Amino acid sequence: MIGDTFKAACLQVNAGTDMTDNIDAAARLAVEARAAGAELILMPENVAMMEWGRTNIVMKAQAEAEHQALAAFREIAKELGCFLHTGTLHVLLDGGMVANRSYVIDKNGLILGRYDKIHMFDVDLGGGESYRESATFTPGDRATMVRLPWGRLGLSVCYDLRFPHLYRAYANAGAHFLAVPAAFTRTTGRAHWHVLLRARAIETGCYVFAPAQCGTHANNRETYGHALIVSPWGEILADGLEQPGFVMAEIDVRKVDDARKKIPCLDHDRAFIAPVRD
C-alpha cells in the first residue's frame, strides 16, 4: 500500500433527465471534493441520468465506446489527478437492453474495472410505488474487485446491499473497502439505509463508501440521500443528509486489520448443511 491513510469523498446529487446537465453538476462537486483533498471520489447510481420508464431509458442510454458521461468522467479524473468511481451509467447493450454499470478510473483516465449491477430491484412498496428494473436492465453475473493504491475496492450497486453474501465474498477475497453507489428510495431509505450499510461494514470489517441520489426526480420519484462513509467498526464517519453536495472522511486502512483482529469472524466461517425448502 502507498501510505496508510487517504481522503475519500462521496458525492450526493439530484440528477434529472438531461445527461449534460447531470454530468456538469457531478463534475462541479468532484472539483470541490478534490480541492478539499479527496484522493478517491465516488459518484452515486444513475449519476448521469435519472430517467423514468423503459422507453426513455433505452432511448437515452449509450454504448460504452461512445458514452458521453464515461468520456467526461475519464477526462475529469485525469484533470484532477484522482481516482474516480463513476457511480453507475446506463450502457446500451445489443438487443435493446441496458447495463447499470460502474467504472473505476485511475488518475490517468484509464478504466481499472467495470461492474454491472447484479440484483434487480423488482419490488412493490405499496401506495402505488413499484419498480421493475429487470424489464430494462440486464443483470450482471460477476463480482469485481479493483486494486487501488491503498487497498482493494469491492464493487456493488444499491439493491445489492440486501445480499450480504456478495460483501462476504469480497472480504474473503481481500477487500478493504466496499462501494455502494445508490438511488435508494425514500421509503426504504428511512427504514433500512443506515442499518444495512453499517451491518455490511461490521460483517466484513471493511470501510463502506455509499454515494447517493437525493430529492425528487422524474415521475415524482423520491430518493433518500444520506450519502455515507462507514468505518470497519460500523461507525458513521460522514452523512450527506438530504441536500446535494459531498461528504469526506480520512480513511485509515490500518483500521481494517484492527477491526478484523478484534472480531475475526471471517476466519470463523464453517461449512454447514443448508435447510431444504418444503
Side-chain angles (χ1 to χ4, degrees):
M1 297 179 192
I2 302 175
D4 293 318
T5 64
F6 68 98
K7 290 184 178 179
C10 290
L11 305 191
Q12 183 159 295
V13 305
N14 174 244
T17 59
D18 185 284
M19 190 176 295
T20 299
D21 288 347
N22 294 331
I23 292 169
D24 290 345
R28 286 193 296 270
L29 289 176
V31 169
E32 292 177 15
R34 182 63 175 130
E39 298 166 84
L40 171 65
I41 299 172
L42 300 98
M43 296 178 173
E45 183 182 25
N46 304 335
V47 64
M49 186 173 66
M50 277 287 284
E51 191 53 89
W52 182 264
R54 171 177 165 76
T55 299
N56 293 330
I57 293 171
V58 172
M59 181 176 63
K60 292 185 177 181
Q62 299 173 0
E64 178 176 296
E66 56 201 33
H67 205 293
Q68 174 187 355
L70 179 58
F73 293 152
R74 291 181 68 180
E75 189 61 30
I76 288 167
K78 188 175 180 179
E79 290 178 359
L80 297 180
C82 67
F83 288 79
L84 180 66
H85 183 300
T86 67
T88 71
L89 308 179
H90 294 160
V91 178
L92 188 63
L93 305 174
D94 294 336
M97 294 294 282
V98 178
N100 195 9
R101 183 171 295 169
S102 291
Y103 298 88
V104 179
I105 302 169
D106 75 6
K107 58 185 179 181
N108 296 311
L110 300 177
I111 297 172
L112 297 180
R114 300 167 174 80
Y115 170 83
D116 290 354
K117 185 177 182 180
I118 292 175
H119 300 97
M120 297 290 95
F121 192 52
D122 290 357
V123 302
D124 297 295
L125 299 177
E129 189 176 4
S130 180
Y131 303 87
R132 289 292 180 274
E133 284 188 340
S134 63
T136 303
F137 297 97
T138 296
D141 60 5
R142 181 181 296 273
T144 301
M145 190 163 65
V146 175
R147 186 180 292 274
L148 300 174
W150 315 280
R152 302 176 189 89
L153 175 68
L155 306 184
S156 69
V157 177
C158 201
Y159 190 50
D160 288 332
L161 180 60
R162 296 183 183 273
F163 300 85
H165 48 282
L166 173 62
Y167 302 94
R168 190 92 176 173
Y170 279 133
N172 282 324
H176 303 85
F177 324 110
L178 304 170
V180 193
F184 236 66
T185 72
R186 185 166 295 177
T187 301
T188 58
R190 287 171 174 165
H192 303 148
W193 176 246
H194 287 75
V195 68
L196 285 174
L197 288 166
R198 293 185 67 201
R200 297 298 85 86
I202 293 166
E203 292 163 352
T204 63
C206 289
Y207 280 95
V208 174
F209 305 132
Q213 292 279 351
C214 66
T216 303
H217 312 269
N219 201 50
N220 291 319
R221 179 178 178 179
E222 294 183 317
T223 52
Y224 182 60
H226 292 273
L228 295 183
I229 299 176
V230 186
S231 81
W233 198 245
E235 305 155 303
I236 294 175
L237 303 180
D239 187 329
L241 303 179
E242 298 180 353
Q243 298 300 318
F246 71 90
V247 295
M248 189 167 67
E250 184 164 303
I251 307 303
D252 186 342
V253 184
R254 293 167 296 190
K255 291 188 176 181
V256 173
D257 286 337
D258 289 346
R260 292 175 180 176
K261 286 176 181 177
K262 291 175 181 176
I263 308 290
C265 61
L266 295 174
D267 297 327
H268 294 164
D269 277 331
R270 290 178 56 83
F272 58 89
I273 299 172
V276 177
R277 183 173 180 176
D278 293 335

